[in-house]
C-alpha cells in the first residue's frame, strides 16, 4: 500500500538560504543609461520598508518552492476526492495554450481591433456554454461559483424590479451549499429553507405550499449535494413561473449531467457553472476561479456588461450597449486565463468527450459506493450520480468520527473527502472521485478506506491521533483560525534587522 513520503528537515536551514553575494539571475551588461529610481518614481511609490531581500541562487529558489509543494497535498500528486468541489485533472495542454504569448501577454485595455482573437476566445466559450447548458445567453465575468450566484440573484432582483414587483423570499433546500443562502442574503432577500424528504430530494409538497408571489426564486442544486438527481424539475419550474418566480440552478455539480441533459430544457432561468470544477481549470491553491452565469431569455437583458460579441461581418467586440444590465460585476472581462483553459478543455474533449466525462464521473462514484457499501453507512439509498455520501454512523460506536477517518486518509496519500457536508447528514463523508481517476487509483482509495475501517474496529487510538505521516500533525483548528500564522518569519537574529 502507498503511503506518503515523510520529510524530516531542519526548518531554519530550509528557509534561511540567504548569504551575501548569492544571485539568482544573470543579466547582460547594461546598455542603456543607469537611472536612479527616485528620478522616475514618485515618493509614494518608493517603499523604504522593503529591504533586506534574501540573497539566494536560482537553485535555492527552485528547491525551496519545489520542497514546499511537497508539504501539501495537491491534485498533481494524488487523488483529491473532495465531494461537490470536483478536483479533477488540470490538463497541461490548457496551460500550454494559455501561455502562448499572444494570449497571456495581451493587456486587458488593448484596442479590440488588435485583440480580435482574444475576444473571439471569450465569444466562442460563451457560445459553447450556451450550447452545453441549453440556455439563451452566457456571461463569463463572475470570478467564482459564489460570485456567479450573487450575479444571478441580482439579475432575478432586476427582473422583478423592471416589473415593479417587490419580492421578499428566496427558497433554498436544506441540503444546499452554504453559499446559496449567503448569496440570497447579500442580495437583500430573506431565505426560506425547504426540507428534504426521505429520498434526499426537495420536499415537493412543502415547496409547492411555500411558493407565492412574495417569492423571488428557488435556488436548487441539481444533482443536489447528496449526488441525487432532483426529479419533477419541469413541474417545479412551472409552479414557479406561474407566480412569475424564477428557477436558479446551482450548476456546481454539472459534471454529472453534461452531454446528457440541459438545464435550459428543464425550465431553469439562471445557473452558474464552475469552470474550476466541471471544466478542469485549476483551483484549491491553483486558482483563480471562474463562475460564468447562463440565463434564459427572461433574464438575458439583465446580464452584466460587457459581453463578448460579434458583428454580422465577423468583427469581435465588447458589447456595452445593454441598458437593462445590472452593470459590471468584475474588472475587465473576469479571469480571462481561466476562460482560455476552459475553452481549450471543451474543444479538446469535443461533444462526445464531454458526455463521456459525465458517464465516467458517475461510474467512478458508483464504483466507490459499491465497494464501500456495508463498511460505511449509506444514509440515502437513492441512486448516486457523480458523488456518494456516506456517514460515520457505524464507526462512531467505537468512538471514531468522520474527522478521524478524514485525517487518517492523509497518511495513505489521499486528500480527505468533503466532511460534515451536506448538513442534513450527521457525520457526512462525501466522496467525489471525478472522471480523471483510473481503476488502479480508485482501488487504492478503497483499500485505504478498508484499512481505516478495520483500524476503527481494532485500534481506534491510531485514528484519534491521525495523521501521523504528514509534515504537520493534527492541528488546533480553532487556534489556526483565530491566530493564523500565514508566513514564515526568521527567528530573531542579532546580526540582522527584523525581516
Ligand atoms: C463549490 C460550490 C459552490 C461555490 O462555488 P465557488 O466557486 O467555490 O465559489 C456553490 N455550490 C456548490 C454546490 C458547490 O459545490
Amino acid at each position: 500500500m502507498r503511503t506518503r513520503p515523510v520529510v524530516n528537515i531542519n526548518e531554519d536551514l530550509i528557509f534561511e538560504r540567504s548569504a551575501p553575494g548569492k544571485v539568482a539571475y544573470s543579466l547582460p551588461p547594461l546598455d542603456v543609461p543607469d537611472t536612479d529610481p527616485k528620478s522616475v518614481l514618485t515618493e509614494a511609490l518608493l517603499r523604504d520598508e522593503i529591504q533586506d531581500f534574501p540573497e539566494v541562487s536560482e537553485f535555492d529558489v527552485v528547491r525551496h518552492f519545489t520542497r514546499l509543494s511537497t508539504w501539501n497535498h495537491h491534485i498533481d500528486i494524488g487523488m483529491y476526492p473532495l465531494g461537490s468541489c470536483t478536483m479533477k485533472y488540470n490538463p497541461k495542454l490548457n496551460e500550454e495554450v494559455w501561455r502562448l504569448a499572444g494570449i497571456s501577454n495581451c493587456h486587458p485595455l488593448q484596442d479590440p481591433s488588435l485583440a480580435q482573437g482574444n475576444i473571439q476566445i471569450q465569444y466562442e466559450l460563451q457560445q459553447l456554454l450556451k450550447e452545453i447548458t441549453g440556455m439563451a445567453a452566457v456571461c463569463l465575468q463572475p470570478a467564482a461559483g459564489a460570485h456567479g450566484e450573487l450575479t444571478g440573484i441580482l439579475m432575478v432582483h432586476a427582473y422583478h424590479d423592471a416589473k415593479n414587483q417587490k419580492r421578499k423570499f428566496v427558497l433554498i433546500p436544506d441540503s444546499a451549499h452554504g453559499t446559496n443562502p449567503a448569496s440570497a442574503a447579500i442580495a437583500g432577500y430573506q431565505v426560506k429553507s425547504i426540507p428534504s424528504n426521505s429520498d434526499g430530494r426537495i420536499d415537493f409538497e412543502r415547496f409547492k405550499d411555500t411558493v407565492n408571489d412574495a417569492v423571488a426564486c428557488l435556488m436548487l442544486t441539481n444533482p443536489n449535494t447528496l449526488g441525487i438527481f432532483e426529479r419533477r424539475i419541469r413541474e417545479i419550474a412551472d409552479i414557479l413561473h406561474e407566480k412569475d418566480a424564477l428557477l436558479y440552478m446551482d450548476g456546481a455539480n454539472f459534471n454529472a449531467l453534461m452531454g446528457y441533459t440541459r438545464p435550459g430544457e428543464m425550465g431553469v432561468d439562471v445557473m452558474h457553472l464552475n469552470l474550476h470544477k466541471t471544466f478542469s481549470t485549476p483551483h484549491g491553491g491553483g486558482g483563480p476561479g471562474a463562475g460564468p452565469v447562463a440565463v434564459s431569455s427572461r433574464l438575458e437583458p439583465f446580464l452584466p456588461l460587457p459581453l463578448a460579441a460579434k458583428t454580422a461581418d465577423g468583427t469581435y467586440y465588447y458589447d456595452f450597449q445593454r441598458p437593462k444590465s445590472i452593470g459590471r460585476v468584475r474588472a475587465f472581462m473576469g479571469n480571462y486565463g481561466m476562460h482560455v483553459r476552459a475553452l481549450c478543455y471543451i474543444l479538446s474533449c469535443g461533444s462526445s468527450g464531454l458526455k463521456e466525462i459525465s458517464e465516467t464521473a458517475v461510474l467512478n462514484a458508483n464504483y466507490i459506493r459499491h465497494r464501500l457499501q456495508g463498511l460505511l453507512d449509506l444514509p440515502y439509498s437513492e441512486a448516486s450520480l457523480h458523488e456518494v455520501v456516506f456517514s460515520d454512523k457505524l464507526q462512531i460506536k467505537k468512538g471514531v468520527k468522520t474527522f478521524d477517518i478524514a485525517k487518517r486518509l492523509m497518511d495513505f496519500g489521499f486528500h480527505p473527502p468533503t466532511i460534515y457536508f451536506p448538513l442534513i447528514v450527521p457525520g457526512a463523508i462525501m466522496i467525489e472521485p471525478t472522471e480523471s481517476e483510473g481503476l488502479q487509483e480508485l482501488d487504492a482509495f478503497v483499500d485505504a478506506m478498508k484499512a481505516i475501517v478495520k483500524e476503527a474496529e481494532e485500534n481506534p487510538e491510531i485514528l484519534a491521533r491521525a495523521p501521523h505521516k504528514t509534515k504537520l500533525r493534527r492541528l488546533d483548528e480553532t487556534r489556526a483560525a483565530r491566530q493564523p500564522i500565514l508566513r514564515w518569519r526568521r527567528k530573531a537574529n542579532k546580526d540582522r534587522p527584523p525581516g
Side-chain angles (χ1 to χ4, degrees), residues 207 218 232-242 245-247 266-269 298:
F207 156 72
L218 166 72
R232 302 177 81 174
I233 185 76
R234 213 39 264 198
E235 266 178 274
I236 288 174
D238 290 346
I239 289 167
L240 290 162
H241 291 153
E242 225 166 82
L246 303 179
L247 176 56
M266 300 177 192
V268 168
D269 293 294
R298 280 190 186 85

Side-chain angles (χ1 to χ4, degrees), residues 238-259:
D238 290 346
I239 289 167
L240 290 162
H241 291 153
E242 225 166 82
K243 299 277 185 225
D244 209 9
L246 303 179
L247 176 56
Y248 187 107
M249 178 172 137
D250 181 326
N253 295 336
F254 199 50
N255 63 328
L257 306 181
M258 199 166 48

Side-chain angles (χ1 to χ4, degrees), residues 188-209:
Y189 290 106
Q190 284 178 35
V191 173
K192 271 195 186 166
S193 178
I194 309 285
S196 303
N197 63 20
S198 56
D199 292 351
R201 297 191 172 88
I202 183 170
D203 185 328
F204 187 81
E205 297 306 324
R206 281 286 284 276
F207 156 72
K208 208 167 139 186
D209 292 344

Side-chain angles (χ1 to χ4, degrees), residues 84 144-146 149 177 179-180 221 225 250 252-253 272 274 276-277:
S84 206
E149 289 170 29
H177 195 271
T179 50
N180 288 191
T221 307
T225 55
D250 181 326
N253 295 336
H272 73 263
N274 302 58
H276 48 287
K277 296 182 183 174

Side-chain angles (χ1 to χ4, degrees), residues 327-453:
R328 266 190 190 286
V329 297
R330 182 87 178 119
F332 305 115
M333 277 300 285
N335 287 331
Y336 182 80
M338 298 302 133
H339 306 157
V340 176
R341 289 171 177 85
L343 178 67
C344 185
Y345 183 68
I346 293 171
L347 292 177
S348 55
C349 293
S351 58
S352 61
L354 293 183
K355 194 171 175 186
E356 205 181 313
I357 285 164
S358 304
E359 247 163 48
T360 314
V362 172
L363 180 66
N364 282 358
N366 279 283
Y367 182 74
I368 288 198
R369 171 180 166 141
H370 178 75
R371 293 213 49 208
L372 292 181
Q373 213 166 341
L375 292 173
L376 293 174
D377 166 64
L378 191 66
Y380 290 93
S381 58
E382 288 293 304
S384 295
L385 289 181
H386 65 300
E387 61 199 7
V388 54
V389 179
F390 293 103
S391 89
D392 60 5
K393 198 169 160 187
L394 304 176
Q395 284 68 39
I396 205 97
K397 293 174 195 148
K398 290 270 179 182
V400 172
K401 319 183 282 299
T402 288
F403 192 75
D404 306 322
I405 298 171
K407 291 292 179 198
R408 183 65 174 143
L409 260 174
M410 295 163 77
D411 287 335
F412 288 84
F414 294 98
H415 192 281
T418 293
I419 55 173
Y420 300 107
F421 176 73
L423 303 179
I424 56 172
V425 175
I429 305 174
M430 183 199 225
I431 303 172
E432 177 178 3
T434 82
E435 79 283 357
S436 330
E437 302 300 341
L439 187 58
Q440 236 179 2
E441 198 65 17
L442 297 181
D443 281 338
F445 178 77
V446 168
D447 287 347
M449 277 301 229
K450 282 186 165 174
I452 292 169
V453 167

Side-chain angles (χ1 to χ4, degrees), residues 479-487:
R479 218 178 109 220
R482 304 271 152 77
Q483 301 167 344
I485 301 170
L486 300 177
R487 73 183 172 108

